[in-house]
Amino acid sequence: MPAMRLRPSLIVLLGLLFAGPAALAGPADEARAAEKAGDREAAITAWRRAIEADPADVGAYEALGRLQLRAKRFEDAVTTFERLVAAAPTHAKGQYRLAFALRKAERYPEAAAAYRAFIERAPDDADARFGLAESLRKQGDKPGALEAYRAYVELERRPSEAKWVARAREAIAELEASAATAPGAERPLEPPAAPAPPAAPATAAVGDPDAAFARGDYVAARDGYRAALKARPDAPALHHRLAVAAALSGQDAEALRHAHAAVRLDPGNPAAAELAATLRARQDAARPAAPPPLAQAELALREGRLRTALRLATDVAAAGGPTVGGAHRVRGRALLALGRAAEARAALATALAHGEGGPQLWRELAWAARLQGDGAAAARLLDLAAVAAPVDHPLAARAHRRLAGLQPQDEP
C-alpha cells in the first residue's frame, strides 16, 4: 500500500492541533495569561492587539481600560473608553466607564456630561449619581452636587456601599453648612398691622428664628422664617431674612427666590437688591462655560449621540476656519458608526486633506473601504496606518511583516 501523502496545509493544521492551546492562543488569551502572571505591561500590550484584531470586542476595551486605571494612566483610559463608546454606542456601561475615567483624569465638566448621558439611560444607577456629585462638587457647582448626593443616598440600598453612603451624607452636611457671602445691613422688621394670631404652631415649633440666626444656626433660622412667612407672606423683611438664612445654609436657589420677593415688595431696600445680585452672580459663575462647537460635536460622538455629532460637526465644517479638518474627522467617524461607509470615506479623506493624520485616521479610512467591499484599498490604507504608527503601536507590526515579505492581514 503506497504511503499516504499529506498536503502542506493539512500538515500545518495537524501541527497546530498537536502543539496544544498555546499555539492557537490569540491576543486576548495572551492578555489574560499575562494578567494571571501579574505582568501588567504585557497584558496592556496584548489587550491593545486584541482590540486591533477585533474592534467590536467590548470586553477587550473594558479589560484594557481597567488595567490603565489601575496603573493610574487616566488619559489612556479615557482614550480607550472613548473608542469603546464610538465602537459600541449601544453598550450603555461604556458611557459610565468613560465618565469614571474622565473624573479620574480631573476633566470634571466632561465627566459630569458623560455621567448625565449615562443616567438618561440608567436613571436608577446609584454609582453614576455619586460620580456626578463628585464631579459637580469639584467644579464648584454646589446646588448640583447636593442634588446628586441626595439622589445617591436615596437610591443606594446595597449594604456593601455603606461607607460611600456615609461619605455622601458628610458631603451633604458640609455643603449645606458652607458659608455664603454675607449680605449688607437690612431694614428692621416692621411690626405687623394687627396682632399676630394667638396660635402660631409653625413658628413655635421651630423656636425664635432671630435667636437661631444670632447663634449661627442658619438652618433653624431658615425654617423659622419659613414658618413666619406663612402668617405674613407679604412682609419684605421676612423674605429678606429668609433669603440671608437660606444663603448661609447653602440653599442658594431658595435664597435668590426670597431676595427677589423682598426687592419686589420693597424696591427701596438696597441690601435685598445687593443680595439678589450677589446670588445671581454666584449662580452664573458656577455654571460651566459652553464648550466650543467642535468640542460639543466630539462630546456627542463619545456619548454615542451619533446624529447629533454629525449635525454639529457638519455645521462646524460649513463655517470653515482652523477646526474644519477636525470637524470632517468627527463627521467621518459618526458616519462610519452609522454604517454610511461611502460618506464616511469621503469625510475622512477631506479631514486628511485639511491636515488631520495619524494611524487611527488611516485605519478608519481602511475600515470604510472594507465596508464598501474594496478589500484591496482597505489593505493599502491599513499599510499606511501601520507606517504612520509609532514603533510600539500594535499597527506597526503590520509594517514589519510587510517589510519582511509576509502577507499582512486584510482586516482593518
Side-chain angles (χ1 to χ4, degrees):
M1 181 177 180
M4 183 173 60
R5 300 182 65 183
L6 298 177
R7 288 179 296 174
S9 59
L10 185 57
I11 293 173
V12 172
L13 177 59
L14 289 172
L16 288 173
L17 289 173
F18 284 107
L24 297 173
D29 299 305
E30 294 174 14
R32 294 186 190 97
E35 283 194 65
K36 189 174 181 181
D39 191 343
R40 180 186 289 164
E41 292 305 317
I44 287 175
T45 299
W47 279 124
R48 281 177 173 151
R49 288 193 290 108
I51 291 171
E52 297 300 333
D54 183 3
D57 185 354
V58 169
Y61 290 104
E62 295 206 334
L64 174 59
R66 183 188 68 246
L67 289 177
Q68 290 167 330
L69 287 170
R70 288 179 181 172
K72 300 189 184 302
R73 299 177 188 173
F74 301 129
E75 289 294 344
D76 289 346
V78 168
T79 300
T80 296
F81 291 129
E82 284 176 343
R83 294 180 64 191
L84 170 58
V85 169
T90 60
H91 179 60
K93 204 65 177 178
Q95 190 67 52
Y96 175 83
R97 309 282 188 223
L98 173 59
F100 183 83
L102 285 164
R103 179 160 66 88
K104 287 295 182 180
E106 300 183 358
R107 293 163 60 174
Y108 299 117
E110 294 170 84
Y115 276 122
R116 286 189 172 115
F118 175 73
I119 289 169
E120 286 183 8
R121 299 185 181 187
D124 296 329
D125 189 284
D127 292 333
R129 300 283 183 169
F130 186 88
L132 174 60
E134 294 279 284
S135 302
L136 292 174
R137 189 180 186 184
K138 290 290 187 180
Q139 292 181 70
D141 183 354
K142 183 165 60 178
L146 273 169
E147 181 182 357
Y149 278 126
R150 287 169 179 153
Y152 169 73
V153 169
E154 183 177 348
L155 288 169
E156 185 59 83
R157 293 292 179 268
R158 295 169 292 181
S160 61
E161 305 304 299
K163 70 174 184 178
W164 297 108
V165 173
R167 176 170 166 174
R169 292 187 189 280
E170 289 175 4
I172 290 169
E174 289 174 6
L175 288 168
E176 286 181 338
S178 60
T181 303
E186 59 175 296
R187 291 186 176 187
L189 181 66
E190 63 270 32
T203 303
V206 295
D208 182 357
D210 289 337
F213 190 96
R215 66 175 180 267
D217 189 350
Y218 304 120
V219 173
R222 178 196 66 199
D223 293 342
Y225 292 133
R226 282 176 184 166
L229 270 173
K230 291 181 180 178
R232 302 171 59 199
D234 294 327
L238 273 178
H239 280 286
H240 187 191
R241 290 187 179 186
L242 175 52
V244 174
L248 290 169
S249 61
Q251 300 294 321
D252 281 6
E254 181 181 15
L256 182 59
R257 186 167 66 253
H258 287 284
H260 282 156
V263 172
R264 176 175 52 81
L265 292 166
D266 183 10
N269 187 342
E274 180 184 351
L275 176 60
T278 299
L279 290 168
R280 279 197 304 270
R282 192 161 65 198
Q283 280 191 352
D284 292 341
R287 293 191 186 98
L294 181 57
Q296 293 181 42
E298 291 169 340
L299 178 61
L301 183 64
R302 288 196 299 271
E303 293 177 349
R305 296 180 288 120
L306 301 176
R307 298 187 187 281
T308 299
L310 179 58
R311 174 178 55 79
L312 291 171
T314 300
D315 291 344
V316 175
T323 60
V324 65
H328 282 292
R329 177 82 176 266
V330 173
R331 289 187 67 250
R333 293 182 66 192
L335 288 163
L336 196 57
L338 289 167
R340 294 158 62 177
E343 296 171 83
R345 191 172 175 182
L348 293 168
T350 303
L352 189 66
H354 281 87
E356 293 290 307
Q360 185 62 23
L361 177 56
W362 290 107
R363 189 178 179 283
E364 290 162 352
L365 276 164
W367 187 243
R370 184 71 174 173
L371 290 177
Q372 286 186 284
D374 191 349
R380 289 194 302 273
L381 289 163
L382 196 57
D383 280 342
L384 290 170
V387 171
V391 174
D392 59 347
H393 193 282
L395 277 173
R398 180 185 177 93
H400 293 310
R401 287 197 302 270
R402 190 183 68 255
L403 291 171
L406 301 177
Q407 179 66 31
Q409 298 175 2
D410 59 358
E411 283 290 341

